[in-house]
Amino acid sequence: QVQLVESGGGSVQPGGSLKLSCAVSGYTITSNCMGWFRQVPGKEREGVARIYNLGRIAYAFDSVKGRFTVSQDNAANTVSLQMNSLRPEDTAMYYCAVLSCSNWVTLYWGQGTQVTVSS
Protein backbone atom coordinates (compact mmCIF):
# COMPACT_ATOMS: atom_id res chain seq x y z
CA GLN A 1 0.00 0.00 0.00
CA VAL A 2 1.03 3.62 -0.37
CA GLN A 3 2.81 5.10 2.63
CA LEU A 4 4.15 8.59 3.15
CA VAL A 5 6.35 9.12 6.21
CA GLU A 6 7.40 12.63 7.17
CA SER A 7 10.40 13.41 9.35
CA GLY A 8 12.54 16.36 10.36
CA GLY A 9 10.09 18.34 12.43
CA GLY A 10 10.95 19.81 15.79
CA SER A 11 11.31 23.00 17.78
CA VAL A 12 13.33 25.95 16.54
CA GLN A 13 13.76 29.61 17.40
CA PRO A 14 12.45 32.36 15.12
CA GLY A 15 14.80 32.90 12.22
CA GLY A 16 15.97 29.31 12.32
CA SER A 17 15.75 26.56 9.72
CA LEU A 18 14.42 23.04 9.44
CA LYS A 19 14.34 20.53 6.62
CA LEU A 20 11.40 18.16 6.37
CA SER A 21 11.59 14.93 4.43
CA CYS A 22 8.86 12.67 3.10
CA ALA A 23 9.74 9.08 2.30
CA VAL A 24 7.25 7.50 -0.09
CA SER A 25 6.73 3.77 -0.54
CA GLY A 26 4.29 1.86 -2.69
CA TYR A 27 4.15 4.74 -5.14
CA THR A 28 6.58 6.39 -7.53
CA ILE A 29 6.64 10.14 -6.97
CA THR A 30 7.44 10.85 -10.60
CA SER A 31 4.07 9.36 -11.57
CA ASN A 32 2.10 12.25 -10.17
CA CYS A 33 2.31 15.52 -8.32
CA MET A 34 3.45 16.02 -4.74
CA GLY A 35 2.65 18.66 -2.19
CA TRP A 36 3.26 19.92 1.33
CA PHE A 37 0.48 21.19 3.55
CA ARG A 38 0.22 22.45 7.10
CA GLN A 39 -2.51 22.70 9.68
CA VAL A 40 -3.01 24.47 12.96
CA PRO A 41 -5.65 23.13 15.36
CA GLY A 42 -9.00 24.75 14.66
CA LYS A 43 -8.02 25.92 11.20
CA GLU A 44 -8.24 24.43 7.73
CA ARG A 45 -5.30 22.64 6.23
CA GLU A 46 -3.45 24.99 3.86
CA GLY A 47 -1.16 24.31 0.95
CA VAL A 48 2.49 25.20 1.38
CA ALA A 49 4.25 23.99 -1.76
CA ARG A 50 3.89 21.79 -4.83
CA ILE A 51 6.32 19.94 -7.06
CA TYR A 52 5.78 17.91 -10.23
CA ASN A 53 6.98 17.12 -13.75
CA LEU A 54 9.88 15.03 -12.41
CA GLY A 55 10.67 17.87 -10.03
CA ARG A 56 11.20 20.41 -12.81
CA ILE A 57 8.28 22.54 -11.66
CA ALA A 58 8.29 23.54 -8.01
CA TYR A 59 6.79 26.47 -6.18
CA ALA A 60 5.86 27.66 -2.75
CA PHE A 61 2.61 29.36 -1.87
CA ASP A 62 2.51 33.07 -1.07
CA SER A 63 2.58 32.69 2.71
CA VAL A 64 6.01 31.03 2.58
CA LYS A 65 7.38 32.14 -0.77
CA GLY A 66 11.02 33.16 -0.58
CA ARG A 67 11.55 31.23 2.66
CA PHE A 68 10.51 27.64 1.85
CA THR A 69 11.83 25.49 -0.98
CA VAL A 70 10.40 22.17 -2.13
CA SER A 71 12.53 19.55 -3.88
CA GLN A 72 12.49 15.87 -4.67
CA ASP A 73 14.96 13.05 -5.08
CA ASN A 74 13.56 10.79 -7.77
CA ALA A 75 16.07 8.01 -7.14
CA ALA A 76 15.33 7.94 -3.41
CA ASN A 77 11.59 8.54 -3.96
CA THR A 78 11.56 11.33 -1.40
CA VAL A 79 10.27 14.87 -1.27
CA SER A 80 11.79 17.57 0.94
CA LEU A 81 10.81 20.96 2.26
CA GLN A 82 13.61 23.32 3.25
CA MET A 83 12.25 25.94 5.63
CA ASN A 84 14.34 29.04 6.35
CA SER A 85 13.69 32.24 8.29
CA LEU A 86 11.03 30.48 10.30
CA ARG A 87 8.42 32.57 12.11
CA PRO A 88 6.13 31.75 15.03
CA GLU A 89 3.19 31.71 12.60
CA ASP A 90 4.83 28.79 10.77
CA THR A 91 4.09 26.61 13.79
CA ALA A 92 1.86 23.77 12.56
CA MET A 93 1.62 20.10 11.75
CA TYR A 94 3.18 19.61 8.31
CA TYR A 95 1.93 16.96 5.93
CA CYS A 96 3.26 15.46 2.74
CA ALA A 97 0.74 14.42 0.08
CA VAL A 98 0.36 12.78 -3.30
CA LEU A 99 -1.81 15.00 -5.51
CA SER A 100 -3.78 14.51 -8.67
CA CYS A 101 -2.11 16.68 -11.30
CA SER A 102 -5.44 17.26 -13.08
CA ASN A 103 -7.34 18.85 -10.21
CA TRP A 104 -4.93 18.96 -7.22
CA VAL A 105 -7.11 16.64 -5.19
CA THR A 106 -5.11 14.85 -2.50
CA LEU A 107 -4.84 11.13 -3.16
CA TYR A 108 -2.69 10.11 -0.18
CA TRP A 109 -1.60 11.78 3.06
CA GLY A 110 1.28 11.24 5.40
CA GLN A 111 0.83 11.20 9.17
CA GLY A 112 2.44 14.61 9.63
CA THR A 113 5.37 16.05 11.53
CA GLN A 114 5.13 18.88 14.06
CA VAL A 115 7.04 22.12 13.59
CA THR A 116 7.15 24.59 16.48
CA VAL A 117 8.76 28.01 16.15
CA SER A 118 9.15 29.75 19.47
CA SER A 119 11.65 31.74 21.46
Side-chain angles (χ1 to χ4, degrees), residues 59-69 82 84-85 87:
Y59 55 87
F61 284 53
D62 287 346
S63 60
V64 302
K65 191 171 291 183
R67 301 187 295 122
F68 290 13
T69 303
Q82 177 66 47
N84 298 328
S85 301
R87 305 168 180 169

Side-chain angles (χ1 to χ4, degrees), residues 7 13 16 23 40 43-44 46 52 58 65 71 73 101 109 116:
S7 61
Q13 292 187 339
V40 175
K43 292 189 176 181
E44 290 190 2
E46 67 166 338
Y52 54 101
K65 191 171 291 183
S71 62
D73 183 333
C101 295
W109 289 105
T116 302

Side-chain angles (χ1 to χ4, degrees), residues 26-50:
Y27 191 88
T28 302
I29 62 174
T30 54
S31 299
N32 227 309
C33 298
M34 302 294 298
W36 284 95
F37 294 76
R38 65 186 182 185
Q39 188 171 25
V40 175
K43 292 189 176 181
E44 290 190 2
R45 195 169 294 190
E46 67 166 338
V48 173
R50 288 175 183 160

Side-chain angles (χ1 to χ4, degrees), residues 52-104:
Y52 54 101
N53 194 8
L54 302 176
R56 299 188 188 110
I57 299 176
Y59 55 87
F61 284 53
D62 287 346
S63 60
V64 302
K65 191 171 291 183
R67 301 187 295 122
F68 290 13
T69 303
V70 60
S71 62
Q72 66 183 57
D73 183 333
N74 296 330
N77 215 41
T78 60
V79 182
S80 298
L81 184 69
Q82 177 66 47
M83 307 185 295
N84 298 328
S85 301
L86 283 162
R87 305 168 180 169
E89 54 264 38
D90 294 320
T91 296
M93 185 72 79
Y94 283 73
Y95 299 89
C96 176
V98 175
L99 309 173
S100 164
C101 295
S102 60
N103 57 13
W104 303 119

